[in-house]
Amino acid sequence: MAETESRRPEPRYGNRPTMKDVAARAGVGLKTVSRVVNGEAGVTPDTEQRVQEAIDALGFRRNDSARVLRKGRTASIGLVLEDLADPFYGPLNRAVEEVARAHGALLINGSSAGDPAREQELVLALCARRVDGLIVIPAGDDHRYLEPEIAAGVATVFVDRPAGKIDADVVLSDSFGGAREGVAHLIGHGHRRIGFIGDQPRIHTANERLRGYYAAVEEAGLPADDAWVSLGPTAPERVRDAVTAMLDAPEPVTAIFAGNNRVTVTAVRVLADREHPVALVGFDDIELADLLRPGLTVVAQDAATLGRAAADRLFRRLDGAGDPPARVELPTRLIARGSGEIPPWTP
């Protein structure tokens, strides 16, 4: 047993091959290996082939740390999302990644889970790893902690929600206009008692969509009952309770406007069990919305376009654009599929 154990190879985890190892295997000097690795001239084809064979055999990878120190750039950017599991963020993440790849940069992303403290921790961890720029979907409302990083040259763009207490580039969807259009659509189909169920009130998009709801109701000259509005966490239990309370009230709502995709999914499930039809319009499209019966009417925002616009703006900053921070607001689109066209039910 002791003899068998003595023959076991020493673990190499963490012991990566170096240029010195490549040089020894190829029988050349370190400078020759450096020239091959960095694509420099001055190496004969035979020698280059021998060095490349040694690189392949050893699994050598260039250590870019020294190049980072020389150039001051890491060719990497950070993306801080709210929730990587949320379907809305998938196309946004992919669009940012494609723009980064086109610029020869690596994307590093993480999730704040909607927690401002975790957002700050993640952002500063990315800065400590010397990312060149950041795209942030903010969870908090105070981003002054980023001022030293921005002053040090970390380009920063916010997306979906503006930064808090600092002036920075931001790319948004028109949450106010989209919600106003969605609620006006319900009003146009005869509804006078419309419920609004949204995200937590500290979130910019939740407040903008609520503002759009009130604007549509006011423009139509309709009452706005506080019992028809519910903001809070998007957990299914909370949303289910809010929908049920609105539908079982003495004066029940006949339609619901759902403030985001997670609220919409829970609302669909609750309404499926109701005896009488209730109209529904959701903010954000969801997968299989067109296969429901009736199809789901939504106010759609283009997550991929949001991500692409934010990434394009970030790389403009990295390329030296010095214009003042800008607010870019992208339009939404109402997609009528049936659920928002259900007329009010009357006993």
Side-chain angles (χ1 to χ4, degrees):
M1 178 67 73
E3 183 180 354
T4 302
E5 289 180 350
S6 67
R7 291 179 181 175
R8 289 176 180 169
E10 289 295 320
R12 283 186 52 84
Y13 303 121
N15 299 322
R16 298 177 179 175
T18 65
M19 285 203 295
K20 185 176 180 181
D21 297 326
V22 174
R25 186 180 182 95
V28 298
L30 277 174
K31 184 61 178 177
T32 300
V33 175
S34 177
R35 284 175 175 158
V36 172
V37 168
N38 293 298
E40 298 173 1
V43 182
T44 65
D46 288 346
T47 301
E48 182 178 357
Q49 181 179 348
R50 197 161 71 250
V51 171
Q52 192 59 56
E53 288 173 353
I55 288 172
D56 294 341
L58 293 172
F60 171 80
R61 293 292 180 270
R62 181 177 66 187
N63 184 341
D64 282 341
S65 299
R67 298 175 76 246
V68 168
L69 291 173
R70 288 198 307 271
K71 295 185 176 184
R73 294 277 289 268
T74 62
S76 63
I77 64 169
L79 171 61
V80 178
L81 302 165
E82 183 181 46
D83 183 359
L84 289 168
D86 188 328
F88 173 76
Y89 294 119
L92 189 152
N93 183 93
R94 178 63 179 270
V96 172
E97 185 177 26
E98 289 300 320
V99 174
R101 184 181 179 191
H103 286 81
L106 176 70
L107 176 66
I108 306 169
N109 60 28
S111 171
S112 69
D115 180 352
R118 182 166 168 177
E119 172 212 296
Q120 179 174 343
E121 178 185 359
L122 181 55
V123 165
L124 294 180
L126 289 167
C127 290
R129 283 159 177 77
R130 303 285 299 275
V131 294
D132 298 324
L134 290 166
I135 295 176
V136 181
I137 296 174
D141 57 6
D142 186 348
H143 293 90
R144 288 175 292 182
Y145 71 85
L146 259 172
E147 287 178 334
E149 308 300 333
I150 294 173
V154 180
T156 306
V157 175
F158 290 79
V159 66
D160 192 44
R161 306 161 191 168
K165 300 183 181 179
I166 65 170
D167 194 15
D169 286 313
V170 60
V171 180
L172 306 163
S173 292
D174 182 9
S175 286
F176 168 78
R180 181 171 63 177
E181 182 181 16
V183 175
H185 184 75
L186 290 167
I187 294 170
H189 283 80
H191 295 278
R192 298 296 177 263
R193 298 193 303 274
I194 302 170
F196 177 93
I197 303 176
D199 210 331
Q200 301 186 72
R202 64 178 174 78
I203 296 176
H204 171 82
T205 49
N207 278 305
E208 284 296 284
R209 292 166 196 174
L210 179 60
R211 197 165 66 87
Y213 165 85
Y214 279 125
V217 168
E218 182 179 346
E219 288 165 6
L222 299 178
D225 193 322
D226 289 343
W228 301 342
V229 173
S230 177
L231 296 180
T234 57
E237 297 78 11
R238 201 282 300 183
V239 174
R240 187 180 300 112
D241 289 346
V243 174
T244 302
M246 291 181 191
L247 296 179
D248 292 344
E251 287 191 302
V253 300
T254 62
I256 290 174
F257 185 85
N260 66 25
N261 57 355
R262 286 164 290 183
V263 174
T264 301
V265 168
T266 300
V268 167
R269 288 175 173 151
V270 174
L271 297 182
D273 294 331
R274 305 297 294 196
E275 180 181 358
H276 304 297
V278 177
L280 173 65
V281 174
F283 201 109
D284 292 334
D285 208 354
I286 64 172
E287 191 174 7
L288 305 181
D290 57 327
L291 299 183
L292 296 173
R293 292 292 177 266
L296 180 64
T297 296
V298 297
V299 175
Q301 54 178 335
D302 192 332
T305 299
L306 274 174
R308 194 174 303 111
D312 285 340
R313 180 154 290 273
L314 182 73
F315 281 99
R316 281 187 66 251
R317 293 296 184 199
L318 291 173
D319 289 340
D323 49 306
R327 179 188 178 103
V328 177
E329 196 163 73
L330 304 177
T332 57
R333 180 168 60 102
L334 180 73
I335 304 174
R337 298 191 179 109
S339 70
E341 296 72 60
I342 297 172
W345 178 82
T346 53

mmCIF file of all heavy atoms in Angstrom, residues 266-284:
data_model
loop_
_atom_site.group_PDB
_atom_site.id
_atom_site.type_symbol
_atom_site.label_atom_id
_atom_site.label_comp_id
_atom_site.label_asym_id
_atom_site.label_seq_id
_atom_site.Cartn_x
_atom_site.Cartn_y
_atom_site.Cartn_z
ATOM 1 N N THR A 266 -48.139 35.173 -12.042
ATOM 2 C CA THR A 266 -48.997 34.805 -10.912
ATOM 3 C C THR A 266 -50.438 35.202 -11.172
ATOM 4 O O THR A 266 -51.376 34.445 -10.855
ATOM 5 C CB THR A 266 -48.495 35.466 -9.618
ATOM 6 O OG1 THR A 266 -47.155 35.028 -9.362
ATOM 7 C CG2 THR A 266 -49.367 35.087 -8.436
ATOM 8 N N ALA A 267 -50.638 36.378 -11.761
ATOM 9 C CA ALA A 267 -52.002 36.831 -12.058
ATOM 10 C C ALA A 267 -52.699 35.870 -13.021
ATOM 11 O O ALA A 267 -53.884 35.551 -12.854
ATOM 12 C CB ALA A 267 -51.972 38.238 -12.633
ATOM 13 N N VAL A 268 -51.973 35.387 -14.034
ATOM 14 C CA VAL A 268 -52.551 34.426 -14.982
ATOM 15 C C VAL A 268 -53.031 33.186 -14.250
ATOM 16 O O VAL A 268 -54.128 32.672 -14.509
ATOM 17 C CB VAL A 268 -51.514 34.059 -16.071
ATOM 18 C CG1 VAL A 268 -51.973 32.835 -16.856
ATOM 19 C CG2 VAL A 268 -51.289 35.227 -17.018
ATOM 20 N N ARG A 269 -52.237 32.699 -13.313
ATOM 21 C CA ARG A 269 -52.599 31.488 -12.577
ATOM 22 C C ARG A 269 -53.830 31.713 -11.697
ATOM 23 O O ARG A 269 -54.705 30.843 -11.593
ATOM 24 C CB ARG A 269 -51.416 31.031 -11.730
ATOM 25 C CG ARG A 269 -50.286 30.449 -12.567
ATOM 26 C CD ARG A 269 -49.079 30.114 -11.740
ATOM 27 N NE ARG A 269 -48.077 29.397 -12.546
ATOM 28 C CZ ARG A 269 -46.773 29.439 -12.329
ATOM 29 N NH1 ARG A 269 -46.294 30.164 -11.325
ATOM 30 N NH2 ARG A 269 -45.945 28.767 -13.099
ATOM 31 N N VAL A 270 -53.901 32.874 -11.052
ATOM 32 C CA VAL A 270 -55.056 33.157 -10.201
ATOM 33 C C VAL A 270 -56.319 33.306 -11.040
ATOM 34 O O VAL A 270 -57.374 32.742 -10.721
ATOM 35 C CB VAL A 270 -54.809 34.434 -9.372
ATOM 36 C CG1 VAL A 270 -56.069 34.809 -8.585
ATOM 37 C CG2 VAL A 270 -53.641 34.236 -8.414
ATOM 38 N N LEU A 271 -56.237 34.038 -12.129
ATOM 39 C CA LEU A 271 -57.418 34.296 -12.958
ATOM 40 C C LEU A 271 -57.925 33.032 -13.639
ATOM 41 O O LEU A 271 -59.118 32.917 -13.939
ATOM 42 C CB LEU A 271 -57.104 35.358 -14.010
ATOM 43 C CG LEU A 271 -56.733 36.748 -13.464
ATOM 44 C CD1 LEU A 271 -56.503 37.729 -14.596
ATOM 45 C CD2 LEU A 271 -57.806 37.269 -12.529
ATOM 46 N N ALA A 272 -57.030 32.071 -13.852
ATOM 47 C CA ALA A 272 -57.450 30.820 -14.494
ATOM 48 C C ALA A 272 -58.461 30.059 -13.646
ATOM 49 O O ALA A 272 -59.248 29.254 -14.161
ATOM 50 C CB ALA A 272 -56.234 29.946 -14.775
ATOM 51 N N ASP A 273 -58.459 30.304 -12.326
ATOM 52 C CA ASP A 273 -59.361 29.590 -11.428
ATOM 53 C C ASP A 273 -60.630 30.374 -11.102
ATOM 54 O O ASP A 273 -61.457 29.912 -10.314
ATOM 55 C CB ASP A 273 -58.635 29.266 -10.114
ATOM 56 C CG ASP A 273 -57.502 28.269 -10.319
ATOM 57 O OD1 ASP A 273 -57.606 27.449 -11.261
ATOM 58 O OD2 ASP A 273 -56.516 28.321 -9.560
ATOM 59 N N ARG A 274 -60.766 31.564 -11.678
ATOM 60 C CA ARG A 274 -61.948 32.383 -11.380
ATOM 61 C C ARG A 274 -63.129 31.985 -12.261
ATOM 62 O O ARG A 274 -62.962 31.597 -13.424
ATOM 63 C CB ARG A 274 -61.640 33.864 -11.570
ATOM 64 C CG ARG A 274 -60.460 34.371 -10.790
ATOM 65 C CD ARG A 274 -60.621 34.289 -9.290
ATOM 66 N NE ARG A 274 -61.661 35.150 -8.763
ATOM 67 C CZ ARG A 274 -61.785 35.477 -7.479
ATOM 68 N NH1 ARG A 274 -60.944 34.979 -6.574
ATOM 69 N NH2 ARG A 274 -62.764 36.266 -7.090
ATOM 70 N N GLU A 275 -64.314 32.112 -11.708
ATOM 71 C CA GLU A 275 -65.514 31.717 -12.451
ATOM 72 C C GLU A 275 -65.806 32.681 -13.593
ATOM 73 O O GLU A 275 -66.212 32.268 -14.684
ATOM 74 C CB GLU A 275 -66.709 31.671 -11.486
ATOM 75 C CG GLU A 275 -68.023 31.275 -12.154
ATOM 76 C CD GLU A 275 -69.181 31.274 -11.177
ATOM 77 O OE1 GLU A 275 -68.950 31.542 -9.965
ATOM 78 O OE2 GLU A 275 -70.321 31.013 -11.625
ATOM 79 N N HIS A 276 -65.597 33.971 -13.342
ATOM 80 C CA HIS A 276 -65.938 34.981 -14.332
ATOM 81 C C HIS A 276 -64.665 35.558 -14.959
ATOM 82 O O HIS A 276 -63.647 35.689 -14.282
ATOM 83 C CB HIS A 276 -66.760 36.102 -13.694
ATOM 84 C CG HIS A 276 -67.994 35.613 -13.005
ATOM 85 N ND1 HIS A 276 -69.018 34.985 -13.687
ATOM 86 C CD2 HIS A 276 -68.355 35.635 -11.697
ATOM 87 C CE1 HIS A 276 -69.963 34.644 -12.828
ATOM 88 N NE2 HIS A 276 -69.597 35.026 -11.613
ATOM 89 N N PRO A 277 -64.712 35.926 -16.237
ATOM 90 C CA PRO A 277 -63.517 36.422 -16.916
ATOM 91 C C PRO A 277 -63.085 37.796 -16.395
ATOM 92 O O PRO A 277 -63.919 38.652 -16.083
ATOM 93 C CB PRO A 277 -63.958 36.510 -18.381
ATOM 94 C CG PRO A 277 -65.438 36.672 -18.332
ATOM 95 C CD PRO A 277 -65.894 35.902 -17.138
ATOM 96 N N VAL A 278 -61.776 37.981 -16.276
ATOM 97 C CA VAL A 278 -61.187 39.252 -15.850
ATOM 98 C C VAL A 278 -60.131 39.635 -16.878
ATOM 99 O O VAL A 278 -59.281 38.815 -17.242
ATOM 100 C CB VAL A 278 -60.540 39.128 -14.447
ATOM 101 C CG1 VAL A 278 -59.866 40.436 -14.041
ATOM 102 C CG2 VAL A 278 -61.581 38.713 -13.414
ATOM 103 N N ALA A 279 -60.188 40.870 -17.356
ATOM 104 C CA ALA A 279 -59.208 41.319 -18.348
ATOM 105 C C ALA A 279 -57.848 41.506 -17.684
ATOM 106 O O ALA A 279 -57.751 41.866 -16.502
ATOM 107 C CB ALA A 279 -59.669 42.624 -18.986
ATOM 108 N N LEU A 280 -56.789 41.273 -18.454
ATOM 109 C CA LEU A 280 -55.432 41.384 -17.923
ATOM 110 C C LEU A 280 -54.501 41.931 -18.998
ATOM 111 O O LEU A 280 -54.482 41.444 -20.126
ATOM 112 C CB LEU A 280 -54.929 39.998 -17.475
ATOM 113 C CG LEU A 280 -53.464 39.901 -17.035
ATOM 114 C CD1 LEU A 280 -53.222 40.725 -15.764
ATOM 115 C CD2 LEU A 280 -53.062 38.446 -16.810
ATOM 116 N N VAL A 281 -53.722 42.940 -18.617
ATOM 117 C CA VAL A 281 -52.614 43.431 -19.439
ATOM 118 C C VAL A 281 -51.364 43.400 -18.574
ATOM 119 O O VAL A 281 -51.383 43.861 -17.422
ATOM 120 C CB VAL A 281 -52.859 44.864 -19.953
ATOM 121 C CG1 VAL A 281 -51.619 45.402 -20.677
ATOM 122 C CG2 VAL A 281 -54.062 44.898 -20.890
ATOM 123 N N GLY A 282 -50.285 42.834 -19.088
ATOM 124 C CA GLY A 282 -49.042 42.759 -18.329
ATOM 125 C C GLY A 282 -47.961 43.635 -18.931
ATOM 126 O O GLY A 282 -47.911 43.824 -20.147
ATOM 127 N N PHE A 283 -47.099 44.168 -18.073
ATOM 128 C CA PHE A 283 -45.917 44.886 -18.559
ATOM 129 C C PHE A 283 -44.783 43.869 -18.641
ATOM 130 O O PHE A 283 -44.468 43.213 -17.654
ATOM 131 C CB PHE A 283 -45.542 46.024 -17.612
ATOM 132 C CG PHE A 283 -44.696 47.091 -18.260
ATOM 133 C CD1 PHE A 283 -45.219 48.347 -18.526
ATOM 134 C CD2 PHE A 283 -43.375 46.841 -18.632
ATOM 135 C CE1 PHE A 283 -44.447 49.329 -19.133
ATOM 136 C CE2 PHE A 283 -42.605 47.796 -19.242
ATOM 137 C CZ PHE A 283 -43.145 49.057 -19.500
ATOM 138 N N ASP A 284 -44.172 43.753 -19.796
ATOM 139 C CA ASP A 284 -43.168 42.744 -20.176
ATOM 140 C C ASP A 284 -43.888 41.558 -20.828
ATOM 141 O O ASP A 284 -44.895 41.062 -20.300
ATOM 142 C CB ASP A 284 -42.346 42.181 -19.000
ATOM 143 C CG ASP A 284 -41.422 43.200 -18.376
ATOM 144 O OD1 ASP A 284 -41.027 44.145 -19.085
ATOM 145 O OD2 ASP A 284 -41.112 43.053 -17.181
#
